[in-house]
Amino acid sequence: MRSPKIGFGAGLALSLFLPIAGCSGDAVQQAFSADPQASQWSNLSTLPKGFPADLSYPNANLQGVQQSQTNLPSSPNSQRPPQQTRWATPDNSQKVQQYYSQLLQKKGWQLSGRRLSQQQLILLAKRDQLQVRVTIPATGTLVPVQTGNNSGRRIPMTVFFIDFSQEKALSKVESPTQTLPKPGDLDFIGPVANQTPESSNTDASLNSAEIPAALKAYVSDIQRLEVIDLGNPNQSIQRGTFARWLVKTNNRLYQDRPTQQIRLAATSQPPVFKDVPSSNPNFPYIQGLAEAGFIPSPLSGDADQATFQPNQPLTREVLLSWKVPIDFRKILPSATTAKVQEVWGFKDTKQISTPTLSAIFADHNNGELANIRRLLGSALLLQPKKSVTRAEAAATLWFIGVAGEGYSAKDVLRAEQQAEAASSS
């Protein structure tokens, strides 16, 4: 059985949080990730209108405000669109998480939800008509210094976000009704009382009707892992986005097996691809895949792969050429068009690029867990150059590994749910 998800409290003090004191400059640079969004925020000295002053962290600086991109409700009853504030503090993540976990159960706040993952803690709370969402990452961020002689130098900080939405008071006739998740459900993040839970506007509820029926179960499980932002499920996914999804999902499924995780590249490394500089938000994932040898690059001897084209749509054959080597964790044996034709029976086998043949042939060895099975179902055409949708990409990530040894999203969710139930009984 897989190890249980780390619970909030003393367990958080484990290796998720790295102390700053006593670390050398190089060690700190490796322990904290770079902040690709720092330039998008301007420093502010005053709180935005409507922000609850008691939510300000004592040792944090307000860095900026923008319209919220999270799932706080914005309805005709809202006085203004939900807003997101960005804060930075030299305190470690554990201290910030403990502070808000305690604060949001006092001073009239009602804690309506708490979701802890390997990447972050999300707290949902409500007071009167004010709803807030506090998002605190599990690790620090390297934030550029904007002023003084040290301008441009990056220092380690905990960067967290507080989203808030103020609604007008509703009469009983106007009050909306919602179906609340029940304890035991995988999407239950409790405690949930009579207040509004996290939001009915999650990706799952907004887009579930648009997801092809054959993919819904796969996509639902992947979303519950909290490693992807689905967006429009029928929109083509970009190559850079899928690289990020691939690494994050693999590391989530194998979170109790560090030797099977793909290591993110440090932004201090020289870029492998000419069009993926270290400032690219997906650089750690793309560069990490290249350095591990899972995707073709000049590092693997593929001199013609000097560019990555991160913003181009991902095609079916490219998805398979990246994903299947990770499933098998080894160099794949060569294959021919005839061999692929024999095992899959595709009528358009001759349209498959030669470097991809080995991945498509090897994928067949995974039987019902083959990526092509989830991507296409039963089909006589692969259409290798066709763009992959975000829902299709999520479905292929539902299982990573070899049949009998790999992990599926469903397996991980079930194991974690059972572990949590056992620990609370």
Side-chain angles (χ1 to χ4, degrees):
M1 179 179 294
R2 296 171 56 83
S3 59
K5 184 187 293 184
I6 298 174
F8 187 81
L12 276 175
L14 296 177
S15 59
L16 288 177
F17 304 99
L18 301 174
I20 298 176
C23 290
S24 67
D26 291 341
V28 170
Q29 291 287 327
Q30 294 173 3
F32 291 82
S33 59
D35 182 9
Q37 296 180 325
S39 62
Q40 300 176 15
W41 299 78
S42 58
N43 291 327
L44 297 179
S45 58
T46 59
L47 294 173
K49 184 177 180 180
F51 185 87
D54 59 330
L55 283 189
S56 299
Y57 187 76
N59 193 29
N61 291 322
L62 176 63
Q63 293 197 315
V65 182
Q66 67 177 10
Q67 186 168 331
S68 175
Q69 301 298 316
T70 60
N71 298 321
L72 282 178
S74 177
S75 66
N77 299 308
S78 299
Q79 293 183 356
R80 63 179 62 87
Q83 291 184 287
Q84 181 179 76
T85 59
R86 171 188 164 113
W87 303 78
T89 175
D91 294 347
N92 63 39
S93 298
Q94 180 186 16
K95 187 174 181 179
V96 180
Q97 291 185 1
Q98 290 176 336
Y99 176 84
Y100 281 105
S101 293
Q102 295 171 6
L103 175 66
L104 293 177
Q105 298 182 67
K106 300 183 295 186
K107 297 185 179 181
W109 289 105
Q110 292 179 308
L111 186 63
S112 58
R114 181 174 70 90
R115 176 177 292 143
L116 176 66
S117 69
Q118 190 179 27
Q119 291 79 31
Q120 62 191 7
L121 172 69
I122 297 175
L123 298 169
L124 306 168
K126 182 177 181 181
R127 184 171 65 190
D128 299 325
Q129 277 70 52
L130 182 65
Q131 300 185 68
V132 299
R133 171 187 176 117
V134 182
T135 305
I136 309 165
T139 56
T141 301
L142 291 175
V143 179
V145 177
Q146 301 294 337
T147 59
N149 295 331
N150 292 321
S151 180
R153 184 174 65 88
R154 290 174 173 176
I155 60 174
M157 304 281 278
T158 296
V159 176
F160 62 97
F161 302 88
I162 301 178
D163 300 76
F164 66 101
S165 174
Q166 181 78 43
E167 291 193 345
K168 299 176 183 178
L170 300 178
S171 66
K172 292 184 178 179
V173 175
E174 296 171 315
S175 297
T177 58
Q178 287 184 303
T179 301
L180 300 179
K182 301 177 182 179
D185 292 346
L186 286 175
D187 55 352
F188 174 73
I189 60 173
V192 177
N194 292 326
Q195 61 269 19
T196 306
E198 181 171 9
S199 173
S200 60
N201 292 334
T202 59
D203 282 339
S205 60
L206 273 175
N207 301 316
S208 61
E210 305 171 20
I211 300 172
L215 303 178
K216 277 189 177 181
Y218 299 127
V219 174
S220 176
D221 288 343
I222 285 291
Q223 285 184 286
R224 288 170 177 167
L225 291 179
E226 300 178 356
V227 290
I228 72 168
D229 176 16
L230 183 64
N232 182 347
N234 297 312
Q235 182 181 28
S236 297
I237 189 170
Q238 294 180 345
R239 290 161 58 98
T241 301
F242 182 74
R244 182 179 73 249
W245 285 15
L246 178 57
V247 173
K248 294 182 71 172
T249 303
N250 177 82
N251 293 355
R252 176 71 169 87
L253 294 180
Y254 289 87
Q255 66 180 9
D256 61 350
R257 295 177 63 185
T259 59
Q260 301 298 309
Q261 295 179 9
I262 300 170
R263 297 182 180 179
L264 275 61
T267 54
S268 59
Q269 294 294 320
V272 173
F273 299 105
K274 296 178 180 178
D275 55 351
V276 185
S278 59
S279 59
N280 188 305
N282 291 321
F283 173 85
Y285 308 100
I286 297 171
Q287 182 93 357
L289 287 168
E291 292 185 352
F294 287 120
I295 61 175
S297 75
L299 293 178
S300 59
D302 298 284
D304 59 334
Q305 300 292 326
T307 60
F308 183 80
Q309 300 177 305
N311 298 325
Q312 290 299 309
L314 180 76
T315 63
R316 289 177 173 178
E317 65 176 5
V318 170
L319 180 153
L320 294 167
S321 70
W322 296 354
K323 170 71 164 51
V324 176
I326 293 178
D327 287 328
F328 287 86
R329 317 276 174 176
K330 64 180 182 181
I331 297 176
L332 303 176
S334 60
T336 63
T337 301
K339 285 185 177 180
V340 172
Q341 173 72 37
E342 180 182 356
V343 297
W344 284 110
F346 293 133
K347 297 179 179 180
D348 54 355
T349 307
K350 292 182 179 180
Q351 297 179 22
I352 301 173
S353 300
T354 301
T356 312
L357 290 171
S358 58
I360 295 175
F361 180 75
D363 191 44
H364 188 268
N365 294 330
N366 249 347
E368 291 301 310
L369 290 172
N371 297 284
I372 290 176
R373 300 290 188 200
R374 294 191 296 282
L375 185 65
L376 303 181
S378 178
L380 292 177
L381 288 176
L382 176 61
Q383 300 183 73
K385 313 299 183 187
K386 185 175 181 178
S387 297
V388 178
T389 68
R390 297 173 76 92
E392 290 171 339
T396 62
L397 296 174
W398 181 83
F399 177 85
I400 297 180
V402 179
E405 300 178 9
Y407 289 147
S408 73
K410 188 178 184 67
D411 294 336
V412 171
L413 291 167
R414 183 188 295 114
E416 291 178 347
Q417 187 179 35
Q418 291 173 347
E420 291 174 358
S423 64
S424 62
S425 60

